[in-house]
Amino acid sequence: MKRIVQKIKGRWALLGLLYLGIQTLAFSQGAIDGNVKDRDGNAVIGASVVLQGLSIGAATDVNGNYKIDKIDAGSYTVVVSSIGYLSKKSEATVADGTTTTLNFEDLDLDLMELEDVVVTGVLNPRSKLSSSVSITTVNPKQMQESVPRTTAELFRTVPGIKAEASGGDGNTNISVRGIPISSGGSRYAQIQKDGLPLMLYGDIAFSTQDQYIRTDRTIDRLEVVRGGSAATTTTNGPGAILNFISKTGAVEGGSIATTLGVDYNSFRTDFEYGAPLANGMSFHVGGFLRQGEGPRHANHIVNKGGQFKASLTKAFERGVATIEYSALNDRTAAYMPMPIMVSGTNADPSWNSVPGFDAVSNGLQSPFFRQNFGMDSDGNARNVNISDGIHTKRNAFRASFEFDLQDGWSLSNNTRYAFNGGRFVAPFTAQVGTTSDIVGSIVVANGDSTATGEPLPYTINRVTSGTTITDTDNGLVQRNHLFDVELNNFNNVMSDTKLSKSFDDFDVALGFFKANQNIEMTWLWNTYLMEVTEDAELLNVSANGNDITDQGLLNYGVPFWGNCCTGKYNVNYDVSAPYLQASFEATDALNIDGSVRYDKTRVSGLVTPSQQIANLDVNGNGTIDAPERSVSRVNNSQAKVVNYDYDYVSYSFGANYKLSNDVAVFARTSQGYVGNGERATWHQGGPYLENKAPKNSLFQAEFGYKQRFTKGGLFVTGFYAKTEEEAGVEATTQRVLSNDYKSFGLEVEGSYRTAGFDLRGMLTYVKAEIVDNDGNTNIGNTPRRQPALSYSLLPSYTLKAGHAIGVSVIGQTKAYAQDNNELVMPAYNIVNGYVSFKVAQGFTASLNANNIFNTIGITESEEGSITEGQDNYIRARSVSGRSVALNMIFTF
């Protein structure tokens, strides 16, 4: 017993000594505090104050005050930086047990952030003012001011980028500098996260890049490079790189934000926190959870899911390393072209909502259209929840490092393994018209017609309510093709390794990019008959005593499009791309750089077409119902081998000349290419492109001017682009698209701030033209959906108390629906706004409104012309209508 007591006393004594040691160590450390203001004497809120070379720092509060504790005695360089300001350094000496006060009272504005270091599309990180590329940075404050509901809506404020933000949170068509949107997605613009592509191709049908990323509070900034070095610093993205860069937690801080729909059913909570740890380490975690209806009235839950990300960064004496894990499991509604009414003339049309179906507030999602029954690729029964919409599942692991070696050498690697999959299911209006026209033609096609070809008498019943009608409420019905695609396996590996050497005035880098992308998906589309109204019901049709539909199902397959869209892809794309980059600092003002890249792609796998089976009992009820008389199914016995490769060499050369510390000009020319993914291997039998290079060529030239003013900045770029497309299949038409284009234009980006007033804006002018195609048609016309002018204007005003108000006006001039340049899609302006209140220190509440005036803004039309002088019912897609949300943010 005595020994036990002695042991306990000894342990308590040891703990006491340890406690005293910790207290002594704590009291032997010092601190730095102070205040940060701009030249006008305004407190700079949220500025980062760090000790240079160390992961130690703090952020300023609502009064501009900061304090950095637990600093060892010694001399330090203190660096303060904040969005929209030039960074500033000052020296401070810390003594044991004391606090050193260091104020920064004259921070200069840098609204264009021309002094910020750019890491996207450059050989070595350097400031915008010293880089020979057109680049825009969007920081979190600017993201909030544009009031985006989706990632695509964020892109609309970037010059040169045209994002058709009307499809929901994914499935977005993105073009750059007049380079056409050929077949959906973003063929020439690549979306990256932390320097690596999300997908190898930007225009994979039903699996576009923006489906695999959600903008949340873990994002530090978005860097967008247009043209220039994008041709050689990435694969399949010569038009633009849109790179989302994550927070690392180098400075302690976090936030929690909750967003509630005011006039629509939506709930979302975002969270993030990061901080330095011991021994040069820092961490950051964050993500979001959401549930709701979305901006269009679905009257049931169609958005549901969330995202999580965690990273750990270690700073070494001569380098840095990061590991990261992210998970995305999110469902969001996909909005397809839907019924809309157009009258007037092709040159001067009037676009309006169909009676009973609002073009901006309604969608094809309905509480009465919830499931799709049929067969999977192996012939087994399959039932899908249509509310899955764009269901993205992604788990990604990333590791990166960058180390300085001896004698000016450095080595870096950035690698990510991503496990991608999910589903894409969305109603698409394949045909809209009067009840008599569409139902009558269906009855005749079923064989229920008179000797003169007229349909026999028929009845129409709403499936859910059971009511019998002779005509729908507005006299319209739609043949609806359900885009039902299983995204089985879209796993990929992306890795970029670079060895670089710095001489006195010359930098050179040798790199190697390696990527492997699976494209494994199954198309299982069916056809339904529906009303044209909010909360549309499916329709059953009977004629001559026989049912023609089954619970609204008209066909297992899409015979209206030649049963094009049942089939399967299982193809692998393997890329090896060595590259060489060099830059030469000829003088203190002149920097010249060039790069060359060789891409080699190997394609292998199988594509499987469909087959028509007569009298197949799909639902297993023992009888052959009308839709079962001819069933479209995957024909696994006729899978075709895909086996080919292609390669190309890209180059880019540029120069930047600083006329002064605040003014610079640059020029660049580049030649890049984009390969075709699954669009080069159409599953229904071709074309197969083993004998011709399945790639698209893009040549660009540009000249730019950038200037920083005392209270603003200006970035102007003139550009020329020539595009030669060699192949690509459009799913809805099964046409092989092959066009050549040229465009020239001007990008203008500017910013100005004074006494609480902030103004940002961008303008892009494009003159684009079709110069050649296989059919020699539409030569000289403007490419479809390309406006001559697009713009955004974002004024805001912040009071000294922290309250703020802002507006964003985003718009474009008219565009043509199709390449024939007949039907005009009118010009439009979308007005968004917000009012923000600083409730308490660290707590802000804001009211955000999108499309305040409920403007119809047509981004896409399936029809290229109308019959003039009458009401036409066509299929088109508009931006979503007004939605108001309450946002509450707590920062700490």
Side-chain angles (χ1 to χ4, degrees), residues 55-77:
S55 296
I56 301 174
T60 58
D61 62 20
V62 68
N63 297 311
N65 298 320
Y66 75 92
K67 186 174 183 179
I68 306 174
D69 292 313
K70 299 178 182 178
I71 305 174
D72 293 334
S75 297
Y76 298 92
T77 298

Side-chain angles (χ1 to χ4, degrees), residues 624-706:
I624 300 300
D625 300 312
E628 297 172 329
R629 296 170 189 167
S630 180
V631 176
S632 184
R633 60 174 288 177
V634 177
N635 187 3
N636 289 303
S637 66
Q638 295 298 314
K640 295 179 173 59
V641 172
V642 178
N643 184 34
Y644 65 91
D645 57 67
Y646 63 89
D647 59 2
Y648 52 81
V649 176
S650 306
Y651 68 81
S652 180
F653 298 100
N656 189 84
Y657 186 76
K658 294 179 69 174
L659 300 173
S660 69
N661 288 332
D662 297 314
V663 182
V665 293
F666 72 93
R668 181 170 290 275
T669 182
S670 62
Q671 174 68 59
Y673 298 87
V674 175
N676 286 310
E678 93 297 346
R679 295 183 186 274
T681 51
W682 181 240
H683 61 261
Q684 294 293 38
Y688 295 97
L689 299 174
E690 296 94 333
N691 298 320
K692 61 182 286 191
K695 61 190 179 186
N696 310 281
S697 168
L698 175 60
F699 172 81
Q700 297 177 90
E702 54 195 304
F703 176 82
Y705 173 88
K706 41 199 168 182

Side-chain angles (χ1 to χ4, degrees), residues 72-147:
D72 293 334
S75 297
Y76 298 92
T77 298
V78 183
V79 182
V80 59
S81 60
S82 183
I83 295 167
Y85 293 92
L86 292 175
S87 298
K88 194 166 187 176
K89 299 180 181 179
S90 188
E91 303 300 320
T93 300
V94 177
D96 290 341
T98 64
T99 297
T100 300
T101 298
L102 180 63
N103 295 323
F104 296 86
E105 297 182 341
D106 54 356
L107 260 62
D108 288 313
L109 290 171
D110 184 23
L111 298 182
M112 298 296 296
E113 301 173 3
L114 295 178
E115 205 61 44
D116 281 7
V117 173
V118 174
V119 299
T120 303
V122 295
L123 166 60
N124 287 321
R126 57 178 73 237
S127 71
K128 288 186 190 177
L129 202 64
S130 302
S131 300
S132 56
V133 294
S134 296
I135 187 164
T136 295
T137 302
V138 184
N139 57 53
K141 180 176 181 291
Q142 294 166 345
M143 293 179 189
Q144 181 181 356
E145 288 174 348
S146 63
V147 197

Side-chain angles (χ1 to χ4, degrees), residues 440-694:
S441 66
I442 290 172
V443 171
V444 170
N446 192 61
D448 299 308
S449 60
T450 66
T452 60
E454 296 297 317
L456 292 173
Y458 56 83
T459 60
I460 307 174
N461 296 286
R462 292 186 175 95
V463 170
T464 303
S465 63
T467 55
T468 299
I469 57 176
T470 57
D471 209 342
T472 56
D473 292 340
N474 52 19
L476 301 176
V477 297
Q478 58 178 309
R479 188 193 305 256
N480 197 289
H481 288 172
L482 190 68
F483 289 4
D484 190 345
V485 180
E486 296 285 354
L487 307 178
N488 306 107
N489 181 346
F490 282 77
N491 301 347
N492 60 43
V493 180
M494 307 286 177
S495 182
D496 197 344
T497 303
K498 182 166 62 178
L499 178 67
S500 59
K501 167 71 173 175
S502 293
F503 301 92
D504 290 336
D505 300 316
F506 183 72
D507 294 335
V508 64
L510 178 64
F512 184 75
F513 175 77
K514 184 67 179 179
N516 189 280
Q517 174 75 61
N518 290 326
I519 299 180
E520 182 180 345
M521 59 179 165
T522 309
W523 296 22
L524 301 164
W525 301 13
N526 289 337
T527 305
Y528 291 86
L529 192 64
M530 294 180 66
E531 298 177 289
V532 180
T533 184
E534 183 178 348
D535 294 344
E537 288 197 47
L538 298 175
L539 301 175
N540 273 336
V541 177
S542 299
N544 201 25
N546 299 314
D547 290 335
I548 297 176
T549 59
D550 181 15
Q551 298 297 300
L553 176 68
L554 184 60
N555 304 105
Y556 288 106
V558 288
F560 189 64
W561 286 352
N563 281 318
C564 66
C565 300
T566 298
K568 183 168 65 175
Y569 296 90
N570 188 357
V571 186
N572 180 266
Y573 300 80
D574 189 75
V575 175
S576 299
Y579 58 89
L580 177 66
Q581 304 170 325
S583 67
F584 175 57
E585 192 172 336
T587 67
D588 290 340
L590 177 63
N591 183 75
I592 302 170
D593 69 274
S595 51
V596 64
R597 183 186 187 98
Y598 172 72
D599 278 86
K600 173 77 171 181
T601 302
R602 179 70 185 175
V603 185
S604 61
L606 297 171
V607 291
T608 308
S610 66
Q611 64 180 159
Q612 290 304 116
I613 304 295
N615 298 324
L616 181 64
D617 186 10
V618 177
N619 59 22
N621 65 356
T623 62
I624 300 300
D625 300 312
E628 297 172 329
R629 296 170 189 167
S630 180
V631 176
S632 184
R633 60 174 288 177
V634 177
N635 187 3
N636 289 303
S637 66
Q638 295 298 314
K640 295 179 173 59
V641 172
V642 178
N643 184 34
Y644 65 91
D645 57 67
Y646 63 89
D647 59 2
Y648 52 81
V649 176
S650 306
Y651 68 81
S652 180
F653 298 100
N656 189 84
Y657 186 76
K658 294 179 69 174
L659 300 173
S660 69
N661 288 332
D662 297 314
V663 182
V665 293
F666 72 93
R668 181 170 290 275
T669 182
S670 62
Q671 174 68 59
Y673 298 87
V674 175
N676 286 310
E678 93 297 346
R679 295 183 186 274
T681 51
W682 181 240
H683 61 261
Q684 294 293 38
Y688 295 97
L689 299 174
E690 296 94 333
N691 298 320
K692 61 182 286 191

